[in-house]
C-alpha cells in the first residue's frame, strides 16, 4: 500500500493513506506557550477510516497533545508540561520548573512505497537553558493494511545524559501521590474515547472507571477501544512494548501502564511509576514502542493475532 508523505519544513510531517486520508501529523515546530513544555508531538492520529483518535490541548489539560514523549519528574524539572505535583501541596503552577525538548534536525529521512522512517535529533533543555540530555528518536509508519483496517507507528527513544550529575527520573507517585505514575510516552485520546474500554494481554479492565483496574499493571500490550460520537463507528488503539522493554536484564527500569478512561482517556508507557531511577553522566537508555491504530472494536484475540503478524 503506497503512502503519501509531505514535509512542511520547520513545521510538520504529514502521512496520508493510499486514499488520501491523513493518518499522522508529526509536529516539531516550537509550541508558543513554554508552560505546556515545548516539544514535538503527533497529532492528529487517524484510523484508515478517518476517525481521529488523539486529543489536542483539551480544556482539562492544555499540555496534552496527541502522542508525545514526556518526563513528568526529572531531577526537579517537568518535561510533561503544566502544573507540577508537590507532595503535601498538590499540583502547583511552577513555570520555572517546566523544561522543553529542542528539535535539532533529521539525520535520516527515508520514504518508501509503504513505509516512512526518520531519525530525529533532540536536546532536553531545563528551564534555565542548561542542556541536560541528547535524544535520538526514531519514528516509523508502516504496515498500512486496508484489509485489516489498521496501520502501525513505531516510536523509539535513546537518551544520553550530558550533565555532570545524574538525571533522576520519577513520577507523581514516586513523589507521594498514589497511583499517578505517569511519565514516558503518553497518548491523550480524543474526547469520545472518554468512557472507553481497556484490556491487556492477560488482564481484564473494562469500560469507564473499570479501566482503572489496569493502572500500575505490567504486560506486553494494552488495548483501548471506543464508540465514536457523530458516526456509527468504533476505533481501537493498541500500545505495545518491544520485547526488550520488558526484559529485566535489558531495560534500564521496568515499565508499568498508566491508564485512565474517566475522567479523561489516556495511556502512558510509564518507565518510573513506583520507583525512581538514575541515569549517570554520559550514560544512555533506550525503549521501543509500537502503537497500532485500527478501525473497529477489536477483542483480545484479534489484537494478539495482529501483533503476532507484525514482527519487530
Amino acid at each position: 500500500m503506497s503512502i503519501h508523505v509531505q514535509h512542511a519544513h520547520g513545521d510538520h510531517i504529514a502521512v496520508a493513506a493510499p486514499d488520501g486520508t491523513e493518518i499522522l501529523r508529526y509536529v516539531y515546530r516550537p509550541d508558543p506557550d513554554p508552560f505546556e513544555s515545548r516539544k514535538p508531538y503527533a497529532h492528529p492520529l487517524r484510523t484508515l477510516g478517518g476517525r481521529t483518535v488523539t486529543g489536542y490541548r483539551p480544556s482539562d489539560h492544555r499540555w496534552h497533545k496527541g502522542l508525545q514523549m514526556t518526563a513528568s519528574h526529572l531531577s526537579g524539572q517537568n518535561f510533561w508540561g503544566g502544573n507540577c505535583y508537590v507532595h503535601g501541596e498538590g499540583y502547583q503552577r511552577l513555570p520555572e520548573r517546566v523544561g522543553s525538548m529542542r528539535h535539532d534536525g533529521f539525520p535520516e529521512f527515508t520514504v518508501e512505497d509503504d513505509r516512512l522512517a526518520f531519525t530525529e535529533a533532540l536536546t532536553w533543555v531545563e528551564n534555565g537553558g542548561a542542556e541536560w540530555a541528547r535524544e535520538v528518536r526514531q519514528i516509523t509508519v508502516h504496515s498500512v493494511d486496508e484489509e485489516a483496517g489498521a496501520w502501525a507507528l513505531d516510536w523509539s527513544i535513546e537518551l544520553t545524559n550530558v550533565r555532570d550529575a545524574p538525571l533522576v527520573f520519577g513520577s507523581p507517585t514516586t513523589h507521594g501521590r498514589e497511583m499517578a505514575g505517569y511519565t514516558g510516552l503518553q497518548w491523550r485520546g480524543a474526547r469520545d474515547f472518554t468512557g472507553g474500554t481497556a484490556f491487556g494481554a492477560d488482564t481484564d479492565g473494562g469500560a469507564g472507571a473499570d479501566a482503572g483496574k489496569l493502572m500500575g499493571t505490567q504486560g506486553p500490550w494494552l488495548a483501548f477501544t471506543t464508540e465514536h460520537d457523530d458516526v456509527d463507528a468504533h476505533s481501537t488503539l493498541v500500545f505495545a512494548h518491544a520485547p526488550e522493554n520488558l526484559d529485566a536484564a535489558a531495560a534500564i527500569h521496568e515499565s508499568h501502564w498508566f491508564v485512565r478512561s474517566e475522567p479523561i482517556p489516556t495511556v502512558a508507557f510509564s518507565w518510573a511509576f513506583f520507583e525512581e531511577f538514575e541515569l549517570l553522566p554520559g550514560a544512555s537508555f533506550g525503549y521501543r514502542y509500537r502503537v497500532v491504530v485500527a478501525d473497529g472494536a477489536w477483542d483480545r484475540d484479534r489484537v494478539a493475532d495482529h501483533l503476532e503478524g507484525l514482527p519487530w
Side-chain angles (χ1 to χ4, degrees), residues 158-173:
E158 182 179 354
L159 196 71
T160 301
N161 181 0
V162 298
R163 297 178 75 200
D164 58 3
L167 286 173
V168 181
F169 293 80
S171 69
T173 294

Side-chain angles (χ1 to χ4, degrees), residues 78-121:
N78 169 7
F79 290 83
W80 174 279
N83 296 328
C84 301
Y85 179 77
V86 179
H87 186 56
E89 301 178 27
Y91 286 94
Q92 302 292 314
R93 184 180 177 89
L94 301 171
E96 68 277 8
R97 293 192 186 182
V98 180
S100 62
M101 300 177 193
R102 186 184 69 220
H103 167 81
D104 293 332
F106 293 114
E108 298 179 1
F109 199 103
T110 303
V111 181
E112 300 173 350
D113 282 348
D114 59 353
R115 187 180 186 90
L116 163 68
F118 62 83
T119 300
E120 183 181 19

Side-chain angles (χ1 to χ4, degrees), residues 3-4 45 50 66 76 94 120 157 160-161 163-164 174 190 195 215 220 237 244 282 312:
I3 59 174
H4 309 282
L45 298 184
L94 301 171
E120 183 181 19
I157 177 176
T160 301
N161 181 0
R163 297 178 75 200
D164 58 3
T174 67
M215 182 71 81
L237 273 292
E244 69 269 18
W312 288 92

Side-chain angles (χ1 to χ4, degrees), residues 23 28 69 79 86 95 97 99 103 114 117 122 125 191 219 226 235 241 256-257 267 279 292 300 305:
I23 56 175
Y28 63 92
M69 184 61 68
F79 290 83
V86 179
R97 293 192 186 182
H103 167 81
D114 59 353
L122 302 104
V125 183
R191 187 72 65 182
T226 199
S235 294
H241 283 282
H256 297 77
W257 295 113
V267 172
L279 187 66
V292 175
R300 180 176 284 113
D305 288 346

Side-chain angles (χ1 to χ4, degrees), residues 191-211:
R191 187 72 65 182
D192 45 2
F193 275 80
T194 305
T197 299
F199 57 91
D202 302 304
T203 310
D204 290 324
D210 285 343

